[in-house]
Amino acid sequence: MAELLIKNGVVFDPINGVKGEKMDICIRDGKIVESLHDEHGARVIDASGCVVMPGGVDAHAHIAGGKVNAGRLLRPEDGRRGLEPKRGVCKPCTGYSVPNTWATGYRYAKMGYTFVMEPAMPPLTARHTHEELVDTPIIDKAALPLIDNNWMTLQYVRDENYEMLSAYVAWMIRATRGYGIKIVNPGGTEAWGFAKNCGLDDPVPHWDVTPADIIRALAHANERYEMPHSIHVHGNMLGHPGNYETTLRTFDVVKGISASMQRQTMHTTHIQFFCYGGTSWKDFESKADEIAKYVNENEHITIDLGSIILGDTTTMTADGPMEYTLYRLTGRKWTNHDVELETGAGIVPFLYSSRNPVHSVQWTIGLELALLIKNPWKVVLSTDHPNAGPFIGYPILISMLMSKKRRDEVMKEVHPAVFDRSSLASIDRELDFHEIAIITRASAAKILGLHNHGKGHLGVGADADVAIYGISHEESDAGAVQRAFLNAKYTIKCGEIVVKDGEIVATPEGRTFYVEPECEESLMNEVMKDIERLFKEYYTVSLSNYPVQDVYTPHPYVIKAPMSG
Amino acid sequence: MGGVRVILISGRTLEQGTNLENKLSDEYMNATAVCELSERELEKLGLKGDGTERVRVRTSAGEIVVAAKKGEGYPEGVAFIPMGPWANAVVNGNTKGSGMPFFKGIEAEIEPTDDEIPSIYDLMRRYKE
Amino acid sequence: MAVYTDVLCPFCGCICDDIVVEVGEDGKITKVKGACAIGRSKIMGHDRMESPAIREDGELRDCSYDEAIKRAAEILADARRPLLYGWSSTVCETDRAGVELAVEIGAIIDNTASVCHGPSILAIQDVGLPSCTLGQIRNRADIVIYWGSNPVFAHPNHMKRYSYLSKGRFTPGGKKDRKMVVVDVRETKSAKLADLFVKVRPGGDFLVFSALRAILRGHEDVVPDEVAGVEKKDLLSLAEMIKNANFIITFFGMGVTHSGARHNNIANAIEFTRAAHLHTKATIMPMRGHYNVNGFNQVCTWLLGYPFSIDLSQGYPWYNPGETGAVDVLVHGECDAALIISSDPASHFPADAVRHLARIPVIQIDPYPNPTTEFADVVIPSAICGVEAEGSVYRMDSVPLRVRKIVDSKFMADEEIIRRILEEVRAIKEKEGE
């Protein structure tokens, strides 16, 4: 295979401690290599005056599956906001907050991203998620199955049978070709089956367990194996005024549990939605400072931002009761899709308006968090796409985080409540390219455990996923930053140039990453008896038709997770 | 003469469904080239409704001859033809901007006739002309 | 003899997946257990189209697959406004190939939803859809409403597997723990099984939904004594039943999508469900007909952003049912060639639409001859998905399943046929120097 040389770029590779050094990157057979065999025969990219980073890694974006597709179907008006005709190697594109799969792949690649985690896969409909992932070009991807409201999980947690729980979790991750354990409103989504909800320490209706019990037990189950990722948690009471206290207590639930790998024991996702003070929408305020303080003082927690992009978007989550609240609040259209024995989904269109005091304060929170949490390795940039805004808004966020001036300008445009109910105006910190490289690729890769599998860095042996942005490392103009990160000068995916001068030039198929936890056979045989009974008595599909078949991962990358010692 | 005005609906039946992928068969024709009428309508038309008699069904979209049969559970003034080519010969293609034709709730006039029911081949031949 | 268990049935939107199929030494299916009459008939199989064929001087002449595929590609490459229609009784792999073909030639692509639950989709786009998978009904529903739907005929195993007659965690007594309500214009077989039958005047569903909405939202005073043939006191007692329930589901069929108010009916049915949700858990679901009619809508939505009736003539997807629906483009005489796959518009489209279809070049891909064959110009027999070919399908509640290949077949699978036509079209266009 042809060799590729990226010359003279200023490289930011935080995992390898490279902090804005002018250096060359050598690529062969899809990997980063020490040096080239034939420097004269190699294709050379001159990256003079450019910033070079590993391909971006998104730890949390709803890009594929039943819920995302129900969002597309619900919103033909969103489809029309992103129409692009077929052109060159590109198929037609649609959608803004809910783009079609082709647009998803192209737009991420154009931003220099090469890996995306779909963070909410209902196990029963996992095949659907995988079908869409296969049809999402260029990027590599993985998906997290929802395992927290499952009746089998609730039963084992209630019976305190953690051995069986760990075996069940292993079976579920394998059956769905998932990457780890996703938790969304534990207990609350089950309660939503009868239109109820529940808080962190409330008993789940019909089950003698609390959400806190579920989170703790699943964290233990996760650490039974050398899982690349920790539990990935969307806790209780998302989006409710005053929820920050629940959030802090949720952090404490897993404190003291030791991780099986060098990483956090809990990743809490789109934390912006969990940082709310006040008792109602009237006295709503930011408590980002409290959350940041906890994260600064504790090592077991990592977060992604879920930062707001002002404007219209589509909200979607397995947190059915939250979406119902949003529907009652807005009166807009509402789709709900509960999944038997497992989880649910709700979808509501939403406008984050700069004229609205609550939305404006929400907008500050994501930025506050990124700036108040001192260690960027604990932070991943996200918009919980499309919940707080579409992923193509990332360059806007990057420009804000890098420029106090830009933030001040926008604060003047939004509702003045931001000056009283948020600390953003008082924060002077500006992130540099190195820190941006951390929160958009390096930290995400480490938190997901992908850095051991060639993602998020440019060390020898890593996947040759490289983003070259046409901007000087000394540039500080926010507009220039935003433009550069929206359309990379080059994106290279596994050694192949896929974007050149902001245009897609090749559309290879990406890979699907999944994890195989290795459970003892005798324990697995034991748990299968319960699973068989569960299918017979309650599911509407046969057990043999349930696991995702090989054809749904045509380009697999399998990570084995042995029992931890 | 001796006709009745009805609201015509078309829809699924078990026999229609069972023969759905066997449409050139006699079974399919027997299952779908038939108009089910209430006892009251049959009386007005002077028919027994045992399936041996035939009626002409006329709507703004066209007309068709099908067998007449007594149907269970129909209110007066409602007639039913199983979905299929015979029913569709009298369905209007104007979707009124919705993409969906009027398959149900069609105003129709029904009268007894001695004419033959067109075979599926006859029906298709008509369209080719 | 080989016995296959947990086989999936490729007939209706129920996709029962516990069928037992026996195959004899000669590779022929000998027995089907656990399927309904319609499903058994489908799996057992019957008269097939034996050979690809091309119409010459009015008569179909047998030919090879290669020749038929080449002719099909020529027709499509020549067309200015081709229609690709059907796609519901085949697997998603075929549908994905079909979308690629439509993008390549700038076609209008549409599926049978446009003449069954198309209005339901339009309504969902207006107001959303509070729904669930069928197991939620099995385990939780204590009121099951079939509205304008006759499952005994159209979805014979639906009640047994998923609703009234099934048993689940919170409904261990099965039908003892539930009430079944049927709303229809006639007393169907299903209505006879119901605990409550509400007979509505034809075309009156919209009014009845409105009345129930008003009552559930506390405005019973605006409801007249009689609504579309239903007495007010009956509506009040139905509303009371709903308020006192733990979980209600409304399954609706073509009784409401086909009548005058069309998508407005469904939007109102969904609004009725939203009103019921103020009191209890309320859900609603379309009774999808073909086993994979939903699958095409899913595939089309993730690839093209819209579920059906999509016009690609401008290079981007343009969605406007009523303008871009199959019936519309036929009745308006717009399209100049059509590819029909696994469906039979000659039987299921209104006469005006069929008349235009009979005049233009038509390619038909289907396991069986049907009335469309009578005027098709190219006929390509295919393997039966779920019996002779495998692939993804989406149940009426959007649960994705994989139908299996049980027996070998001499016929080509739908996906391969479409992919080969696509290759040929590309070759023709390349030759023409596009």
Side-chain angles (χ1 to χ4, degrees):
Chain A
M1 189 174 166
E3 296 182 318
L4 187 61
L5 176 64
I6 303 168
K7 282 182 81 126
N8 301 322
V10 175
V11 178
F12 293 90
D13 178 14
I15 285 176
N16 294 304
V18 179
K19 201 173 174 178
E21 289 169 36
K22 195 168 197 176
M23 60 188 278
D24 297 345
I25 308 281
C26 303
I27 293 168
R28 183 171 53 250
D29 297 335
K31 299 282 183 193
I32 306 288
V33 292
E34 189 72 51
S35 60
L36 297 180
H37 287 157
D38 173 18
E39 206 160 311
H40 300 290
R43 175 156 185 190
V44 178
I45 293 176
D46 182 6
S48 302
C50 294
V51 161
V52 178
M53 293 183 182
V57 176
D58 195 332
H60 191 107
H62 301 273
I63 57 166
K67 174 160 46 49
V68 178
N69 221 31
R72 296 184 187 108
L73 186 134
L74 181 68
R75 302 204 67 198
E77 71 278 16
D78 186 87
R80 296 197 171 101
R81 291 182 71 191
L83 287 180
E84 296 170 57
K86 64 173 177 171
R87 193 156 66 98
V89 296
C90 290
K91 301 276 184 19
C93 295
T94 67
Y96 169 70
S97 65
V98 278
N100 61 344
T101 54
W102 288 325
T104 300
Y106 304 154
R107 290 175 191 169
Y108 265 114
K110 283 187 185 184
M111 296 196 312
Y113 272 71
T114 52
F115 186 96
V116 179
M117 178 66 76
E118 158 54 55
M121 173 162 70
L124 180 60
T125 60
R127 249 177 300 275
H128 184 167
T129 306
H130 284 291
E131 281 204 286
E132 287 196 27
L133 290 178
V134 168
D135 280 343
T136 306
I138 305 178
I139 54 174
D140 289 337
K141 45 253 156 174
L144 295 169
L146 293 145
I147 317 186
D148 56 323
N149 285 285
N150 305 46
W151 287 359
M152 202 86 261
T153 299
L154 296 173
Q155 184 192 313
Y156 289 143
V157 174
R158 183 188 62 199
D159 300 345
E160 296 177 22
N161 196 341
Y162 302 125
E163 282 261 299
M164 292 287 265
L165 178 64
S166 69
Y168 172 66
V169 163
W171 181 79
M172 206 39 134
I173 293 172
R174 296 174 78 116
T176 59
R177 311 221 172 190
Y179 191 84
I181 300 174
K182 178 67 185 300
I183 295 174
V184 173
N185 190 359
T189 303
E190 158 59 21
W192 184 241
F194 283 123
K196 307 264 189 320
N197 197 1
C198 68
L200 183 64
D201 299 308
D202 304 335
V204 181
H206 305 288
W207 299 90
D208 189 18
V209 297
T210 67
D213 296 336
I214 299 169
I215 295 170
R216 194 178 303 112
L218 284 173
H220 277 294
N222 192 73
E223 304 310 335
R224 284 283 183 109
Y225 307 97
E226 293 180 5
M227 295 293 286
H229 189 36
S230 63
I231 54 169
H232 192 112
V233 180
H234 156 158
N236 302 84
M237 295 299 138
L238 178 143
H240 290 265
N243 65 9
Y244 82 101
E245 287 172 329
T246 299
T247 308
L248 293 174
R249 282 190 286 124
T250 305
F251 288 161
D252 272 340
V253 165
V254 298
K255 203 169 179 177
I257 296 173
S258 52
S260 63
M261 308 284 276
Q262 285 278 330
R263 55 156 167 73
Q264 75 285 354
T265 47
M266 178 158 85
H267 179 76
T268 43
T269 187
H270 39 76
I271 201 79
Q272 175 273 130
F273 291 115
F274 291 100
C275 292
Y276 300 164
T279 56
S280 73
W281 296 116
K282 288 204 170 68
D283 61 354
F284 175 87
E285 62 177 343
S286 166
K287 287 287 182 185
D289 50 345
E290 297 279 345
I291 300 299
K293 183 162 170 277
Y294 188 104
V295 175
N296 283 334
E297 289 169 0
N298 290 276
E299 296 309 310
H300 66 288
I301 299 290
T302 57
I303 63 121
D304 63 81
L305 298 175
S307 207
I308 303 282
I309 306 292
L310 291 168
D312 184 79
T313 194
T314 309
T315 68
M316 53 177 67
T317 164
D319 193 340
M322 198 288 294
E323 291 288 352
Y324 183 68
T325 306
L326 215 50
Y327 146 64
R328 296 301 307 278
L329 204 61
T330 61
R332 293 180 72 171
K333 46 193 178 183
W334 167 55
T335 280
N336 182 81
H337 197 76
D338 295 341
V339 177
E340 63 205 59
L341 287 80
E342 296 180 348
T343 182
I347 308 165
V348 176
F350 197 81
L351 173 71
Y352 294 104
S353 164
S354 59
R355 290 160 188 264
N356 179 302
V358 172
H359 303 170
S360 297
V361 174
Q362 285 181 303
W363 167 78
T364 66
I365 295 176
L367 303 171
E368 278 184 282
L369 287 163
L371 298 164
L372 292 173
I373 295 172
K374 292 177 187 137
N375 181 355
W377 291 97
K378 292 179 177 175
V379 177
V380 181
L381 183 92
S382 81
T383 58
D384 184 19
H385 164 84
N387 283 297
F391 64 80
I392 48 164
Y394 290 177
I396 300 174
L397 295 177
I398 292 170
S399 72
M400 302 268 186
L401 294 172
M402 292 183 77
S403 167
K404 162 84 170 152
K405 185 166 159 259
R406 176 79 184 265
R407 296 199 294 269
D408 287 344
E409 283 165 11
V410 179
M411 286 186 76
K412 274 185 229 148
E413 302 287 321
V414 301
H415 193 281
V418 295
F419 293 101
D420 307 330
R421 304 196 199 166
S422 160
S423 67
L424 186 63
S426 67
I427 304 172
D428 293 329
R429 184 176 171 195
E430 292 182 333
L431 302 189
D432 58 22
F433 281 110
H434 180 69
E435 288 166 314
I436 291 296
I438 294 174
I439 67 170
T440 56
R441 42 268 285 162
S443 71
K446 284 192 91 162
I447 288 166
L448 295 174
L450 284 167
H451 59 306
N452 294 323
H453 301 278
K455 294 292 172 196
H457 70 103
L458 297 173
V460 168
D463 287 347
D465 291 0
V466 189
I468 303 174
Y469 298 109
I471 187 168
S472 157
H473 67 290
E474 288 167 335
E475 180 61 66
S476 61
D477 177 69
V481 167
Q482 188 180 323
R483 280 192 297 279
F485 280 97
L486 186 60
N487 287 306
K489 191 165 168 59
Y490 284 92
T491 303
I492 292 144
K493 167 72 197 342
C494 285
E496 182 173 3
I497 297 172
V498 291
V499 174
K500 185 169 184 289
D501 297 324
E503 297 290 337
I504 302 287
V505 293
T507 60
E509 291 173 15
R511 290 172 296 173
T512 306
F513 284 50
Y514 60 90
V515 176
E516 289 187 342
E518 295 180 326
C519 179
E520 283 167 26
E521 211 182 310
S522 58
L523 191 58
M524 190 55 90
N525 291 339
E526 197 59 30
V527 87
M528 282 317 293
K529 289 181 201 153
D530 282 351
I531 292 173
E532 279 164 20
R533 189 177 49 78
L534 192 75
F535 272 82
K536 221 174 144 134
E537 292 181 2
Y538 305 128
Y539 270 106
T540 58
V541 300
S542 303
L543 176 57
S544 63
N545 289 318
Y546 186 87
V548 173
Q549 295 88 345
D550 286 341
V551 291
Y552 296 95
T553 52
H555 309 290
Y557 182 94
V558 187
I559 298 172
K560 302 273 183 201
M563 296 286 272
S564 51
Chain B
M1 295 309 100
V4 293
R5 299 195 68 86
V6 296
I7 296 295
L8 180 67
I9 52 184
S10 65
R12 290 189 213 279
T13 67
L14 193 64
E15 292 74 26
Q16 169 262 337
T18 316
N19 292 294
L20 199 52
E21 282 161 344
N22 200 18
K23 291 213 195 79
L24 300 174
S25 65
D26 292 344
E27 290 87 347
Y28 183 70
M29 181 165 167
N30 293 338
T32 57
V34 51
C35 179
E36 297 184 19
L37 293 149
S38 76
E39 213 154 341
R40 189 88 185 85
E41 259 76 36
L42 287 168
E43 223 169 82
K44 284 191 218 163
L45 293 168
L47 297 175
K48 298 192 293 282
D50 59 359
T52 60
E53 302 140 321
R54 293 179 296 282
V55 286
R56 181 183 310 280
V57 179
R58 193 178 289 126
T59 72
S60 65
E63 56 175 66
I64 190 77
V65 174
V66 289
K69 210 169 118 187
K70 190 173 137 234
E72 297 275 326
Y74 293 101
E76 192 180 341
V78 175
F80 177 87
I81 306 181
M83 58 158 67
W86 287 271
N88 282 319
V90 295
V91 168
N92 195 318
N94 183 351
T95 76
K96 301 237 167 114
S98 74
M100 171 69 87
F102 276 86
F103 289 114
K104 291 184 165 69
I106 311 157
E107 286 178 20
E109 208 180 302
I110 296 181
E111 61 183 24
T113 178
D114 290 330
D115 289 356
E116 290 296 313
I117 304 171
S119 73
I120 189 69
Y121 301 100
D122 295 336
L123 258 182
M124 291 303 127
R125 209 167 296 130
R126 275 200 218 165
Y127 291 128
K128 282 195 270 189
E129 280 158 10
Chain C
M1 189 191 75
V3 179
Y4 297 85
T5 56
D6 294 345
V7 171
L8 302 95
C9 174
F11 189 81
C12 81
C14 289
I15 317 184
C16 301
D17 78 335
D18 56 354
I19 313 288
V20 178
V21 176
E22 293 179 10
V23 178
E25 301 297 338
D26 59 353
K28 295 239 172 6
I29 293 172
T30 52
K31 203 165 186 185
V32 176
K33 287 189 272 192
C36 68
I38 313 178
R40 192 180 320 115
S41 149
K42 168 91 192 242
I43 297 169
M44 290 295 291
H46 42 78
D47 314 285
R48 301 285 290 268
M49 279 202 296
E50 281 301 319
S51 164
I54 292 177
R55 191 171 299 276
E56 277 171 7
D57 304 323
E59 295 298 320
L60 284 173
R61 165 182 71 77
D62 286 358
C63 68
S64 66
Y65 268 107
D66 285 351
E67 193 182 348
I69 285 167
K70 196 149 180 289
R71 182 72 200 112
E74 285 164 5
I75 289 172
L76 292 174
D78 268 356
R80 284 169 168 272
R81 200 148 170 72
L83 167 70
L84 312 181
Y85 178 81
W87 309 108
S88 300
S89 284
T90 183
V91 292
C92 293
E93 288 75 358
T94 313
D95 297 340
R96 286 151 89 172
V99 166
E100 282 189 54
L101 179 61
V103 168
E104 182 69 40
I105 61 176
I108 291 164
I109 187 163
D110 197 6
N111 82 328
T112 59
S114 72
V115 291
C116 67
H117 277 286
S120 309
I121 294 173
L122 298 186
I124 292 165
Q125 292 174 335
D126 268 355
V127 287
L129 185 76
S131 194
C132 57
T133 68
L134 290 163
Q136 293 293 84
I137 317 305
R138 175 180 176 181
N139 288 296
R140 297 177 197 264
D142 51 359
I143 293 190
V144 176
I145 303 173
Y146 286 100
W147 197 310
S149 159
N150 187 8
V152 172
F153 280 179
H155 301 84
N157 277 353
H158 193 266
M159 283 190 283
K160 185 178 79 183
R161 276 177 66 83
Y162 305 125
S163 76
Y164 185 49
L165 303 173
S166 67
K167 293 178 181 173
R169 180 183 286 270
F170 301 105
T171 50
K175 73 177 194 178
K176 284 199 281 265
D177 293 339
R178 312 184 202 266
K179 289 264 180 289
M180 175 165 142
V181 180
V182 167
V183 186
D184 212 308
V185 296
R186 59 192 169 112
E187 192 176 8
T188 58
K189 278 263 163 60
S190 306
K192 287 191 167 59
L193 299 175
D195 297 290
L196 174 65
F197 170 51
V198 180
K199 195 168 179 177
V200 179
R201 217 164 41 221
D205 305 282
F206 186 90
L207 295 174
V208 177
F209 285 127
S210 298
L212 284 170
R213 276 174 74 186
I215 296 168
L216 289 166
R217 287 188 179 270
H219 303 295
E220 64 175 79
D221 53 315
V222 304
V223 177
D225 292 340
E226 186 240 284
V227 180
V230 187
E231 285 187 48
K232 181 176 182 177
K233 69 170 174 51
D234 294 338
L235 291 171
L236 287 172
S237 68
L238 176 55
E240 207 50 38
M241 261 172 80
I242 290 168
K243 286 184 192 172
N244 295 321
N246 293 317
F247 187 117
I248 82 153
I249 173 78
T250 304
F251 292 112
F252 63 96
M254 286 184 287
V256 265
T257 65
H258 275 175
S259 55
R262 294 190 183 82
H263 53 284
N264 298 307
N265 260 342
I266 313 304
N268 216 6
I270 296 168
E271 290 281 9
F272 149 69
T273 305
R274 287 167 35 147
H277 208 290
L278 297 171
H279 304 279
T280 181
K281 181 79 184 186
T283 56
I284 182 165
M285 192 186 299
M287 295 284 281
R288 307 300 302 263
H290 293 287
Y291 67 94
N292 201 33
V293 61
N294 186 7
F296 174 86
N297 298 139
Q298 296 284 351
V299 167
C300 234
T301 302
W302 84 60
L303 289 179
L304 295 173
Y306 309 101
F308 69 117
S309 297
I310 298 164
D311 179 358
L312 286 149
S313 59
Q314 302 301 308
Y316 55 81
W318 182 249
Y319 169 66
N320 194 19
E323 175 201 347
T324 55
V327 170
D328 296 287
V329 293
L330 286 168
V331 169
H332 298 157
E334 270 184 54
C335 55
D336 58 352
L339 179 148
I340 307 296
I341 179 162
S342 67
S343 75
D344 179 22
S347 295
H348 294 144
F349 278 6
D352 291 348
V354 182
R355 210 164 283 127
H356 184 70
L357 196 62
R359 284 193 202 116
I360 60 176
V362 169
I363 301 147
Q364 183 189 30
I365 302 169
D366 210 293
Y368 312 103
N370 61 35
T372 300
T373 317
E374 290 305 299
F375 53 70
D377 301 280
V378 180
V379 167
I380 309 178
S382 63
I384 300 169
C385 298
V387 179
E388 300 165 345
E390 62 175 299
S392 291
V393 297
Y394 285 72
R395 213 164 65 177
M396 62 167 68
D397 57 350
S398 299
V399 168
L401 293 162
R402 188 164 188 82
V403 296
R404 304 198 206 148
K405 176 178 171 171
I406 308 292
V407 294
D408 287 329
S409 160
K410 63 177 179 175
F411 298 108
M412 202 181 275
D414 289 328
E415 184 194 5
E416 190 186 349
I417 296 168
I418 298 292
R419 293 228 172 259
R420 288 198 44 198
I421 292 174
L422 178 57
E423 274 169 36
E424 288 288 337
V425 167
R426 284 183 175 145
I428 293 169
K429 288 174 88 174
E430 208 162 292
K431 229 190 212 161
E432 287 171 353
E434 262 204 33

